[in-house]
Amino acid sequence: MITVENLTKTFPGSTGQVRALDGVNLDVAAGTVLGVVGPSGAGKSTLARCVALLERPDSGAIRVDGTDLVSLDGTALRAARRRIGVVPQGDSLLRQRTAAGNVALPLEAAGVAGPQRRSRVAELLDLVGLTDKAGSYPDQLSGGQRQRVAVARALAASPSVLLADEPTSALDPDTTGSVLTVLDRARAELGVTVLVVTHDMGVVRRICDDVAVLEGGRVVEHGKVLDLVSDAASRTAASLLPAVDQNPGAEAAFDRVADVVLVGFAAVGALLPEATSRFGVDLNLLGGGLTRLGETPVARFRVGLKGERADSALEWISEAGGSVRRTLAGPQGVAA
């Protein structure tokens, strides 16, 4: 759906050119939610603006459904932009228009007839759960409700791609949840491919299929969330999985100590108990915990094992789909 190839973008700075994007490459499959994360100044918002052609990159290609947007101009570019809905950062609603009036803006600009326009606005307000707020003005809405109206407006022209720049910034947890639910519904019910720029890894945990980590204008990690968390050394795993505290005194009592990542209901519920019984080892949980990524349970535990077949137990857990990273020096310092 979206392919970004060797994208670069610079801006003038006080000491010369600042490279906001430096050879960025991404692939986003149709119907997925990609979270673009990273520290402030990493290039996240610049990437989103370039994908929407609100900023022209210096070089590189941006393909949506196979069409390179960078090569377009005039009528062709305007038509391509209508396939990309944008939810800007911050409050972007027109104060003199009602919620329904704000959602209708893109349809009015496109010349959509009144009855068809009203029907589409009603559908979208229902999608975002604000049918009863159709006649309310932005100042009569909460911050989360205004964001949901902004999402509905971005979806008005039936885009295939939705870009949301920090859609949950400054929202409380409950309100954040309602906005993320709307973005997830847009993907699930409308088939829209969603690119979410965020500093909040909780957004990735809640709705993202894939994640791209930017740092200094470069993509330093990119892939499916569940694949990346299976690698205990990844940045995504460090950000999303329960922390494991060091306790050398307790760990010294065991023959083997390892960090184990388990993904899915079956793995979380069964692998460790089965390893214990299958290999006759004593297995203790030394730290870590459970979380949920989307609808999938994921666990990271530090485990201590006692018994002659401790190595075999760890190897079997790895072969059965768990990710095993041994933590102490000696033979157990090598990953199973």
Side-chain angles (χ1 to χ4, degrees):
M1 168 58 73
I2 305 173
T3 302
V4 175
E5 295 179 355
N6 200 31
L7 204 67
T8 63
K9 177 66 179 178
T10 58
F11 296 99
S14 58
T15 59
Q17 293 292 311
V18 176
R19 189 174 291 268
L21 298 176
D22 188 6
V24 169
N25 293 282
L26 285 177
D27 282 301
V28 188
T32 62
V33 179
L34 170 72
V36 179
V37 302
S40 296
K44 305 185 298 295
S45 293
T46 301
L47 175 61
R49 289 180 62 80
C50 284
V51 171
L53 264 293
L54 299 174
E55 294 277 1
R56 279 276 183 178
D58 298 335
S59 62
I62 302 166
R63 294 188 173 86
V64 176
D65 286 336
T67 301
D68 184 5
L69 304 185
V70 178
S71 67
L72 303 179
D73 55 23
T75 302
L77 178 58
R78 287 191 293 273
R81 279 176 172 162
R82 284 196 289 271
R83 294 158 52 195
I84 303 174
V86 178
V87 183
Q89 186 173 356
D91 189 349
S92 61
L93 301 185
L94 296 181
R95 287 303 191 265
Q96 70 273 27
R97 280 186 168 244
T98 63
N102 271 279
V103 177
L105 268 174
L107 302 173
E108 293 174 9
V112 176
Q116 184 180 351
R117 186 171 68 240
R118 287 188 290 273
S119 175
R120 178 64 175 162
V121 169
E123 290 173 5
L124 290 169
L125 288 176
D126 179 63
L127 177 78
V128 302
L130 292 174
T131 298
D132 61 333
K133 301 295 183 181
S136 298
Y137 288 88
D139 289 339
Q140 298 171 313
L141 303 174
S142 68
Q145 289 170 338
R146 289 195 292 271
Q147 252 333 42
R148 285 149 62 190
V149 173
V151 173
R153 183 181 60 188
L155 293 169
S158 300
S160 56
V161 174
L162 181 66
L163 302 181
D165 190 358
E166 296 285 4
T168 61
S169 178
L171 299 180
D172 62 69
D174 289 341
T175 305
T176 290
S178 69
V179 173
L180 295 182
T181 296
V182 166
L183 293 175
D184 199 35
R185 288 188 68 184
R187 179 265 302 271
E189 299 181 23
L190 303 179
V192 176
T193 302
V194 183
L195 190 153
V196 182
V197 171
T198 183
H199 68 280
D200 182 2
M201 291 302 289
V203 173
V204 177
R205 181 179 287 110
R206 173 78 179 264
I207 66 168
C208 291
D209 306 295
D210 298 354
V211 65
V213 182
L214 267 64
E215 191 171 284
R218 291 179 173 270
V219 176
V220 295
E221 193 166 276
H222 177 221
K224 294 189 175 302
V225 173
L226 292 178
D227 290 343
L228 290 173
V229 297
S230 295
D231 177 3
S234 75
R235 297 168 188 249
T236 302
S239 298
L240 293 180
L241 297 185
V244 176
D245 296 327
Q246 302 290 332
N247 191 342
E251 294 169 10
F254 295 92
D255 299 320
R256 295 291 182 268
V257 175
D259 287 343
V260 179
V261 178
L262 306 171
V263 177
F265 289 95
V268 169
L271 279 189
L272 297 187
E274 185 169 348
T276 300
S277 60
R278 183 183 288 252
F279 295 94
V281 296
D282 181 17
L283 187 152
N284 291 264
L285 300 183
L286 304 179
L290 289 163
T291 188
R292 187 176 290 270
L293 302 180
E295 297 300 318
T296 303
V298 179
R300 174 164 61 182
F301 296 121
R302 178 156 294 177
V303 298
L305 296 90
K306 289 182 179 180
E308 294 182 359
R309 303 183 70 191
D311 285 326
S312 297
L314 290 174
E315 289 167 5
W316 179 83
I317 291 170
S318 179
E319 292 168 359
S323 172
V324 177
R325 182 183 177 89
R326 307 190 195 197
T327 62
L328 299 184
Q332 61 198 78
V334 181

